[in-house]
Amino acid sequence: MDEFVNLKETELRLGLPGTDNVCEEKESIISCCNNNNKRALSSDNEKENESSSRKTETSPPRKAQIVGWPPVRSYRKNNIQTKKNESEHEGQGIYVKVSMDGAPYLRKIDLSCYKGYSELLKALEVMFKFSVGEYFERDGYKGSDFVPTYEDKDGDWMLIGDVPWEMFICTCKRLRIMKGSEAKCLSCGV
Amino acid sequence: MTQDRSEMSEDDDDQQSSPLDLPSTAIASSSTPNKSRNCISSSVTLKSQTFPDHVLENVLENVLQFLDSRCDRNAASLVCKSWWRVEALTRSEVFIGNCYALSPARLTQRFKRVRSLVLKGKPRFADFNLMPPDWGANFAPWVSTMAKAYPWLEKVDLKRMFVTDDDLALLADSFPGFKELILVCCEGFGTSGIAIVTNKCRKLKVLDLIESEVTDDEVDWISCFPEDVTCLESLAFDCVEAPINFKALEGLVARSPFLKKLRLNRFVSLVELHRLLLGAPQLTSLGTGSFSHDEEPRSEQEPDYAAAFRACKSVVCLSGFRELMPEYLPAIFPVCANLTSLNFSYANISPDMFKPIILNCHKLQVFWALDSICDEGLQAVAATCKELRELRIFPFDPREDSEGPVSELGLQAISEGCRKLESILYFCQRMTNAAVIAMSENCPELTVFRLCIMGRHRPDHVTGKPMDEGFGAIVKNCKKLTRLAVSGLLTDQAFRYMGEYGKLVRTLSVAFAGDSDMALRHVLEGCPRLQKLEIRDSPFGDVALRSGMHRYYNMRFVWMSACSLSKGCCKDIARVMPNLVVEVIGSDDDDDNRDYVETLYMYRSLDGPRNDAPKFVTIL
């Protein structure tokens, strides 16, 4: 029965069978690609992606976190940290809700991920599958039924793009992609 | 024992289950005896020769109506065709442990008068991100089939299913007498779907949303309940991450005289909780919401929270504390002596805060907490809670290399103080065999033992030895053990013990353990009652997998991820066992020339492979 105990045969590797020890390399590459995740991760962005582990009778557990270990559900992980995160929130991202007229769901995005309006708008277009048309300084958005707007700290609804980007991310509370006549009013010369 | 079943969402202690299916001849023969036959004790001798058939069937129907347990019903249905037929007519509660084990059509063809359905979808390891999203377990085909077949459906209890708002809308529209909706660890729907249910299901008694992901569609679903007095007995929405209309909630509670269980989400503050309690002193189970407040209250206006709790003489089950402000914790003192269930698992409570509370909880049977209470807190539990049946200790800092405030000391103390313990889930950073052995000897009633030593491959931190002897003692001494989860440094020896002594083990979870195929072989060649096997990151390969072929038809599922399996072997098994669905789940950009199987998920099925498998799933 001991012929089955062939450690090299059963050793887990990340590389193809037959290749020799690509493990180290691959792991360091994986640890760099934080967002290039193959697995669905929870909002816990510290988790790094490792799809299998080696036999580690010699090496101690590494600092990199393994997917799904320890086995605590994301819901639980996220909710225990609630208080913790609240204090760390500065510098952790500017999350705003995005709604689109006619769409039954809301999304949340992190404004700090974008460097400017064009990136933001592109992301919204992809997320909600629409197009914004072209922005004109005087006339607002033309060429589309949809107009991207945001609510600022004073509760006013403004057209996205009217103020400098840095000011925008400081004052923006939420986004709304308006459709139809309401949009037209906002769009032409506020 | 007043257990709040809906709280035990992470545990899967369902009773004995035989396959929901036709006589065993429909499935390829296996040498293992169909254990459902063992459930029949003495048979009733019916003189079928002297009575005409229709009389016999009437008698049967009247008798079988009283059979509740599905084990008994499965057994009865195998007696003969006539019994099968009558049993199918009289079964009103159906349990389906794997939604892909059969098609909805088969369910409705066999059972004609179903009132209640319990349906489970994704395998448990999906909870830990070990599977890409959109794998399946859609509720849609089930609800659409049942909409036509079961107009009198009253109860749906789903776990790990993908449920959309449309599904909920169809449910609300199709079942006029609908009473109970329980969604545990589900996703795919939002507050708009919930609103449809609350609005249309006029007989709704139970709406329990437990650890589910609910999108915030900014719909005021609480206001959607009808204006008149409701039938509500249980309302749990602690997992809904969206603000609620408190005024509407208050009004709802005021017109729900039968409401016994109320679990609030973290958007309900202490002040609001106080008002609710004053209006609902009949509650037996309470989820307290945030247990904090946003603004600084002016102290002379601060409500007397303790008085509100004092008025709730019936509260026996307490949970919530989602954003606990510890200085308010003493408000719960008045109810402590009555508590049978206490869930502090979202509250970072220190031992000093915790001890004064627990010392009053003499009747406690179920206790969930974070490890922030430390060994010291566990010692206090052990000293006071002599009736404890279930303990779960979760890590405040769930990382491999975090500080571990609980250890073998806490486990040892619990084992000595809580002799009636039946179920334990314990996360820690260090453990010893001695403590585990002590528990095996002190707690003979254990049916569930789940120990998670968070550092992978960690040995006994005192002796440096593997944890084999500890887990071995558990399987040897705990004769009633049905569920086991192992961790720490484990050699094949541990598995030898499991195979030999784990006579009643139905569920086994293994991670980062074992040395060779022999380990898995021990389990597959032993453990006669094994139903659910989930393994990750362990060096088990094709030889081990093949060694279990004689029993896969008698199991609900096998999960193996990041082991040493090859596609070739999985293909062989799929070919030889046509009623087994063998899914190989890869990542999104799968390397096609790899023979390596990242994740294997296989399960028996009466209706062949599913037709809704996503790209990353290959069904062999």
Side-chain angles (χ1 to χ4, degrees), chain A residues 80-107:
Chain A
I80 297 173
Q81 312 290 28
T82 307
K83 268 285 164 171
K84 249 174 105 175
N85 278 344
E86 250 145 59
S87 55
E88 297 168 354
H89 228 128
E90 295 88 342
Q92 268 243 332
I94 308 165
Y95 287 93
V96 294
K97 285 193 183 161
V98 188
S99 64
M100 176 158 108
D101 290 353
Y105 51 86
L106 285 184
R107 302 294 284 269

Side-chain angles (χ1 to χ4, degrees), chain B residues 358-573:
Chain B
I358 200 68
L359 291 176
N360 295 312
C361 302
H362 298 275
K363 291 195 189 157
L364 209 57
Q365 294 180 20
V366 176
F367 180 56
W368 293 21
L370 289 179
D371 58 6
S372 57
I373 62 171
C374 302
D375 285 329
E376 210 185 318
L378 289 172
Q379 284 157 352
V381 173
T384 318
C385 308
K386 300 301 177 189
E387 297 299 315
L388 199 69
R389 303 287 197 272
E390 177 179 324
L391 176 70
R392 296 196 192 192
I393 301 297
F394 296 96
F396 172 68
D397 187 358
R399 291 177 304 149
E400 262 190 277
D401 43 9
S402 59
E403 275 298 306
V406 300
S407 69
E408 75 277 5
L409 296 174
L411 193 73
Q412 179 90 27
I414 292 287
S415 79
E416 288 165 7
C418 307
R419 299 299 177 105
K420 299 187 186 174
L421 198 66
E422 293 172 5
S423 170
I424 183 166
L425 169 63
Y426 197 86
F427 282 85
C428 59
Q429 290 288 4
R430 24 185 222 299
M431 187 47 59
T432 62
N433 281 304
V436 179
I437 293 171
M439 179 155 274
S440 78
E441 292 167 351
N442 293 334
C443 305
E445 300 299 314
L446 273 179
T447 55
V448 174
F449 185 80
R450 299 159 69 190
L451 176 63
C452 181
I453 302 169
M454 292 193 276
R456 291 167 290 150
H457 310 288
R458 245 180 230 168
D460 177 323
H461 82 98
V462 166
T463 66
K465 293 213 171 93
M467 293 300 298
D468 296 344
E469 294 309 309
F471 286 104
I474 290 286
V475 284
K476 263 187 235 167
N477 300 333
C478 301
K479 308 266 193 263
K480 301 185 183 179
L481 196 75
T482 55
R483 182 171 180 182
L484 180 65
V486 301
S487 61
L489 180 65
L490 293 170
T491 71
D492 290 352
Q493 180 58 36
F495 295 86
R496 190 187 296 268
Y497 288 137
M498 285 180 234
E500 187 176 337
Y501 297 105
K503 299 263 184 270
L504 297 181
V505 171
R506 293 184 67 235
T507 308
L508 179 64
S509 309
V510 176
F512 303 102
D515 294 325
S516 74
D517 282 345
M518 274 320 296
L520 181 54
R521 284 185 61 180
H522 287 310
V523 167
L524 289 173
E525 290 166 5
C527 295
R529 296 285 169 100
L530 195 62
Q531 285 288 301
K532 299 179 255 180
L533 181 60
E534 41 189 36
I535 302 174
R536 64 167 294 182
D537 294 90
S538 300
F540 309 143
D542 297 347
V543 171
L545 192 65
R546 282 187 218 276
S547 73
M549 280 169 67
H550 63 288
R551 61 184 314 178
Y552 295 138
Y553 279 151
N554 285 333
M555 291 175 68
R556 191 182 294 174
F557 72 80
V558 173
W559 167 291
M560 286 178 69
S561 58
C563 297
S564 303
L565 300 173
S566 74
K567 271 212 185 103
C569 172
C570 295
K571 279 198 187 122
D572 286 345
I573 293 189

Side-chain angles (χ1 to χ4, degrees), chain B residues 190-209:
Chain B
T191 45
S192 39
I194 298 301
I196 302 176
V197 172
T198 57
N199 184 246
K200 296 210 173 151
C201 299
R202 301 269 151 161
K203 304 244 168 82
L204 199 65
K205 290 200 315 194
V206 173
L207 177 61
D208 283 351
L209 306 171

Side-chain angles (χ1 to χ4, degrees), chain B residues 58-129:
Chain B
N58 279 341
V59 169
L60 263 181
E61 202 171 319
N62 280 309
V63 169
L64 289 183
Q65 250 174 182
F66 294 102
L67 270 185
D68 284 334
S69 130
R70 56 175 203 271
C71 173
D72 290 343
R73 281 192 160 270
N74 290 344
S77 70
L78 294 175
V79 170
C80 64
K81 265 232 131 71
S82 159
W83 280 53
W84 187 88
R85 218 170 23 239
V86 177
E87 193 283 314
L89 278 177
T90 56
R91 192 185 296 220
S92 63
E93 292 170 10
V94 175
F95 171 89
I96 298 175
N98 174 7
C99 64
Y100 287 122
L102 69 154
S103 68
R106 186 179 290 266
L107 168 70
T108 54
Q109 273 156 29
R110 177 173 173 185
F111 299 111
K112 300 295 184 189
R113 299 186 196 157
V114 173
R115 303 247 163 171
S116 155
L117 175 72
V118 178
L119 185 60
K120 298 190 181 182
K122 288 193 267 195
R124 198 179 70 97
F125 272 11
D127 288 353
F128 313 123
N129 298 328

Side-chain angles (χ1 to χ4, degrees), chain A residues 39 56 69 73 75-76, chain B residues 10 127 211 322 454 457:
Chain A
R39 297 200 188 279
T56 50
W69 188 262
R73 283 204 193 112
Y75 175 77
R76 186 169 281 286
Chain B
E10 289 169 31
D127 288 353
E211 294 200 23
R322 293 292 170 126
M454 292 193 276
H457 310 288

